[in-house]
Amino acid sequence: MKHSAFNLNGQNQKIESRIVVALERISEAFRVLLWNESKENALSPIQIQILIFVYFHSSEKCKIGYLANEFNMTKATVSDSVKVLLSKNLATKEIDPTDTRSYSLTLTAEGKKIAEKASFFASSIEEPIEKLTQAQKETMLNGLLKLIYDLNKSGIITIQRMCFTCVNYQLENGIHYCKLLKSRLAESELRVDCPEHELI
Ligand code: SF4
């Protein structure tokens, strides 16, 4: 019989189950940290995530449809959050001149201020990672990239802008290469969110 990763009897016999439970603990840390940041700004966690995303991404990625895919939510849910950001004067609409029904979100000065500060919400997760050895960091990054890739392929998470799903990525004899940058990529240089990413 198949055991749940959360069943302690099976879990302690299987490293994969312990990794799943460890990831669940980490996701709990993200949830708590994001919640604390949201409370400070009287916003919801998704509103904070949208502010941070818009702050760091190009305008074609800041449309309702793209944001809904990015956060695995319906367009209606994202629209509701965006309405709050607009009403609080943290964001404005940038109408697409080729399609006046479509718009991108841009941040106001106040929105940028909150996004800049909130973007450090995960620092207490980054600090312990900095203490790992380079080899540990590379193994961790590689394992996580493969996990994200598989979750994306099985449709559990949608938009990804990682090397493994990019038209410019090549793997030959175990060597990673970016055709756009015309450069070999070390294990530690593989990207999770690349601004030049082009989906295969
Ligand atoms: S363009 Fe970016 S995502 Fe694509 S292979 Fe190069 S570094 Fe990776």
Side-chain angles (χ1 to χ4, degrees), residues 34 37 41 48 51-52 113-122:
L34 192 57
E37 194 62 47
N41 295 289
I48 287 287
L51 282 182
I52 297 172
K113 206 168 111 189
I114 294 177
E116 163 71 20
K117 184 189 158 288
S119 70
F120 291 93
F121 84 93

Side-chain angles (χ1 to χ4, degrees), residues 45-56:
I46 182 61
Q47 287 156 7
I48 287 287
Q49 285 178 293
I50 292 172
L51 282 182
I52 297 172
F53 185 87
V54 171
Y55 188 52
F56 291 113

Side-chain angles (χ1 to χ4, degrees), residues 121-139:
F121 84 93
S123 296
S124 37
I125 296 175
E126 192 164 348
E127 283 156 19
I129 294 173
E130 281 165 7
K131 293 183 197 147
L132 300 177
T133 64
Q134 186 62 17
Q136 286 172 323
K137 288 177 202 170
E138 284 177 13
T139 304

Side-chain angles (χ1 to χ4, degrees), residues 161-170 177-181 185 189-198:
R161 294 172 296 276
M162 55 161 43
C163 292
F164 294 166
T165 60
C166 179
V167 77
N168 296 308
Y169 172 75
Q170 272 183 340
Y177 186 81
C178 172
K179 287 187 274 175
L180 185 82
L181 302 175
L185 299 168
E189 290 171 326
L190 289 170
R191 296 183 181 183
V192 184
D193 186 356
C194 175
E196 280 87 33
H197 177 270
E198 277 179 71

Side-chain angles (χ1 to χ4, degrees), residues 32-152:
V32 168
L33 292 168
L34 192 57
W35 182 248
N36 291 343
E37 194 62 47
S38 316
K39 271 195 298 186
E40 254 185 57
N41 295 289
L43 293 167
S44 69
I46 182 61
Q47 287 156 7
I48 287 287
Q49 285 178 293
I50 292 172
L51 282 182
I52 297 172
F53 185 87
V54 171
Y55 188 52
F56 291 113
H57 291 84
S58 54
S59 64
E60 76 273 7
K61 297 188 176 93
C62 299
K63 297 184 174 181
I64 298 288
Y66 196 97
L67 293 170
N69 273 337
E70 175 72 21
F71 295 109
N72 300 288
M73 289 182 163
T74 63
K75 281 188 189 177
T77 308
V78 170
S79 284
D80 286 345
S81 288
V82 165
K83 274 183 206 151
V84 175
L85 298 176
L86 295 170
S87 71
K88 292 195 171 194
N89 200 29
L90 300 177
T92 54
K93 289 180 184 180
E94 197 179 278
I95 305 287
D96 182 346
T98 60
D99 176 6
T100 49
R101 289 164 306 169
S102 169
Y103 68 87
S104 288
L105 217 54
T106 52
L107 301 189
T108 61
E110 183 60 16
K112 285 181 187 167
K113 206 168 111 189
I114 294 177
E116 163 71 20
K117 184 189 158 288
S119 70
F120 291 93
F121 84 93
S123 296
S124 37
I125 296 175
E126 192 164 348
E127 283 156 19
I129 294 173
E130 281 165 7
K131 293 183 197 147
L132 300 177
T133 64
Q134 186 62 17
Q136 286 172 323
K137 288 177 202 170
E138 284 177 13
T139 304
M140 187 184 262
L141 178 64
N142 208 273
L144 289 172
L145 285 172
K146 286 182 177 144
L147 179 57
I148 296 167
Y149 179 77
D150 278 354
L151 288 173
N152 177 235

